[in-house]
Amino acid sequence: MRTDSREPTRNECSVLGSDALVIGDIAGEGSLEIAGRVQGNITISGELNVLAGATVLGHIQANSLTISGKVRGNVSGRISIEVLGAGEVEGKLEAPRIGIETGAYVVGSIVTGQPRKASAPDNTAPPKKPVQFGRTAAPEKAAAPEKAAAPEKAAAPLQRPAPSERVTLERVLPPPLVPVQSASDDQLQEFDDDELPPSESFDSLESDSPAEERSDPATRRKRRRRRNRRPESDGRAAATSAAQFTPEGSAKAGPTRNLGSSPSESLSLPRIPTFQKGTHGRRRD
Amino acid sequence: MAETVMGAGLTIEGSVASKGDVRLNGRVTGSVEVDGTLEVGPEGAILSDVRAGRVSVAGAVEGNIEGRERVDLLAGAHLLGNVKAPRLTIADGATFRGQVEMEPRS
C-alpha cells in the first residue's frame, strides 16, 4: 500500500467490508478502503478507496481518493481524485488533480488546480478541466495542503467564468427549485379552491355571479329543454326548467324544489344535462 | 467473508453494523452490531453498546456487551458495563465493572 510518509506512526489501513454499514462520521489518520456503506462524512488523512459496490452518502475529504463506487456528496482531495469507470459521484469534486475515467458517472462541479493563494498559473487548469486522465502539470505541491478546503473554495469563483458551457450546467439546475416552490404554493391554493366538491364550487360561482350571468345558462337550458321536449307545452317546460335549475344553481339560496309538480319531468330531467351538468343530475338523485 | 478493519487512527462518530467480522483498533462512539466476530484491539475503544456473535476485547468498552456465543475480556481490556453471554472469560489484567448475565445453556 503506497502511503504518504507524512503519517509517522499509525499508518494503518482500515477496511470497511462489503457487508458493513457505518452510520456516522468517520475521521482520523491513515488510509481507508470502503466496500460497504457509509452514511456520514469521511475526513481522513491518507488514501481513501471507495471500491465498487460501496456507497458513501456524505462529504468526503482525504489526501487522495480513488472512487469506483457510489458517492453522493462533495469530494475533496488534498492531492488528487480519481474516479474510475465504475464510479458514480454526485457532488462537487475538488482537488488539485482530478481524473475521470471513461464510463464514470459524475454530476456536479469539478474544480481542479492549485489554490489561488500560491499564485498558481491558472491558464493550465481551465482547459484541462473537462476530462483528465493524465497528470496535468501540478506545479506546486507545497501550496498549503493542510488548509486545502478554504483556499480552494476561494479559487472556485476564479475559474468558473472561463468555461462557460460547464457553468451553465450548474446554473440551469438551481433556478427550477426556487420558482417551483413559490409557484407550487400558489398552485396548491388554486387547486384547493378547485378541488372543493364540484357542487359547492358551482353553487358559489353561480350564486355569487350577477343575475345576468346566471340568467344565461338558464335560458340556454330552457332552449335545450324546448328542443328536447316537443310534445310538452313550452310554457310548462320552461316553468319546470326554471323552477328546477335555478335552485340547483343556487341551492342554498334557492327558494324551493318543486319536484313534485310533474313527476314525469322530474324523472326525465337528470338525463338531459350534458358534461358538467352530469354532476347536477347525479346530485339530484 | 469480507472483513472490516478499523485502524488505530480512525474515529467513527456513529454506529457500525456488519455481517462479517470486524476488528476495531480505532474509536467508535456509537453502537456496534456484528454478526460475526468482533475484536476490539488494544487501542480500540467503543463508547456504546456492543452486540456480536463473538466478542473479544483487548481495548476499552464503555457500554453493555452482548455476545451470542461468547465474550472474552483479554488482558488489558477495560470494560465498564454489563456482559450478557453464554460464555465469558476474563483474563488476568482485565478491568471489568458491571454485571454478568448468563442464560442457562440449553
Side-chain angles (χ1 to χ4, degrees):
Chain A
M1 199 90 196
R2 56 206 155 89
T3 50
D4 34 323
S5 58
R6 209 178 296 164
E7 317 299 333
T9 53
R10 305 167 156 185
N11 209 353
E12 203 168 343
C13 179
S14 304
V15 181
L16 222 68
S18 60
D19 45 13
L21 165 67
V22 173
I23 300 178
D25 297 349
I26 300 178
E29 303 165 351
S31 56
L32 177 60
E33 205 166 81
I34 298 176
R37 290 184 293 159
V38 178
Q39 296 181 15
N41 304 327
I42 301 174
T43 309
I44 61 170
S45 64
E47 289 187 5
L48 178 67
N49 196 353
V50 181
L51 300 175
T55 305
V56 178
L57 306 178
H59 304 313
I60 300 178
Q61 199 171 2
N63 269 4
S64 59
L65 299 100
T66 306
I67 299 172
S68 45
K70 188 174 178 181
V71 175
R72 191 167 294 176
N74 297 340
V75 181
S76 147
R78 296 187 191 87
I79 296 174
S80 67
I81 299 175
E82 198 167 358
V83 184
L84 299 184
E88 296 180 23
V89 180
E90 293 182 22
K92 190 177 180 181
L93 291 175
E94 210 172 353
R97 296 190 301 171
I98 295 182
I100 300 176
E101 203 181 29
T102 320
Y105 173 76
V106 177
V107 177
S109 67
I110 300 173
V111 179
T112 64
Q114 293 296 315
R116 183 182 55 174
K117 172 186 170 186
S119 76
D122 278 355
N123 49 7
T124 60
K128 290 174 184 173
K129 266 184 194 174
V131 177
Q132 279 188 346
F133 277 107
R135 309 297 146 97
T136 68
E140 297 134 341
K141 284 190 179 176
E146 313 282 43
K147 300 177 181 177
E152 279 176 8
K153 278 175 188 171
L158 248 190
Q159 296 171 348
R160 270 181 194 165
S164 61
E165 317 92 17
R166 302 177 67 252
V167 174
T168 52
L169 248 186
E170 284 186 4
R171 283 185 188 158
V172 166
L173 289 177
L177 293 178
V178 181
V180 159
Q181 281 184 351
S182 63
S184 68
D185 290 340
D186 297 338
Q187 284 174 359
L188 275 180
Q189 290 174 358
E190 289 176 7
F191 281 138
D192 285 341
D193 291 340
D194 287 343
E195 281 175 358
L196 289 174
S199 59
E200 287 187 16
S201 67
F202 268 113
D203 289 345
S204 63
L205 270 180
E206 295 189 1
S207 64
D208 289 348
S209 64
E212 311 157 0
E213 295 182 7
R214 208 192 306 166
S215 70
D216 281 345
T219 52
R220 276 182 218 145
R221 285 171 197 143
K222 281 179 194 170
R223 283 172 201 156
R224 270 186 219 136
R225 200 116 317 118
R226 278 174 198 159
R227 277 182 225 140
N228 291 335
R229 285 183 220 143
R230 279 293 153 81
E232 296 171 2
S233 68
D234 285 348
R236 198 181 172 188
T240 54
S241 67
Q244 295 200 346
F245 277 86
T246 44
E248 109 191 337
S250 55
K252 292 161 190 171
T256 50
R257 285 188 174 191
N258 42 7
L259 283 173
S261 67
S262 59
S264 66
E265 285 176 4
S266 71
L267 282 178
S268 64
L269 266 179
R271 310 204 167 228
I272 297 161
T274 61
F275 296 109
Q276 306 157 348
K277 285 145 205 160
T279 60
H280 295 262
R282 250 182 271 133
R283 199 170 48 130
R284 177 155 303 166
D285 293 338
Chain B
M1 202 67 181
E3 195 181 51
T4 299
V5 181
M6 273 220 16
L10 278 193
T11 301
I12 296 182
E13 300 209 352
S15 59
V16 179
S18 175
K19 289 175 184 165
D21 299 344
V22 174
R23 264 194 290 158
L24 278 181
N25 284 317
R27 183 181 166 94
V28 178
T29 58
S31 64
V32 179
E33 292 198 22
V34 180
D35 285 357
T37 303
L38 170 68
E39 293 180 23
V40 182
E43 296 183 66
I46 300 175
L47 305 182
S48 186
D49 293 351
V50 175
R51 288 174 66 186
R54 300 179 180 187
V55 185
S56 79
V57 182
V61 175
E62 291 188 11
N64 302 330
I65 296 180
E66 182 178 341
R68 280 185 292 278
E69 291 181 30
R70 62 181 300 137
V71 172
D72 297 319
L73 298 183
L74 307 179
H78 172 77
L79 172 59
L80 189 62
N82 303 329
V83 175
K84 180 180 178 183
R87 293 184 178 203
L88 169 67
T89 64
I90 302 177
D92 182 17
T95 314
F96 172 37
R97 181 172 180 182
Q99 294 181 342
V100 180
E101 183 180 342
M102 283 188 186
E103 293 188 358
R105 295 172 60 194
S106 57

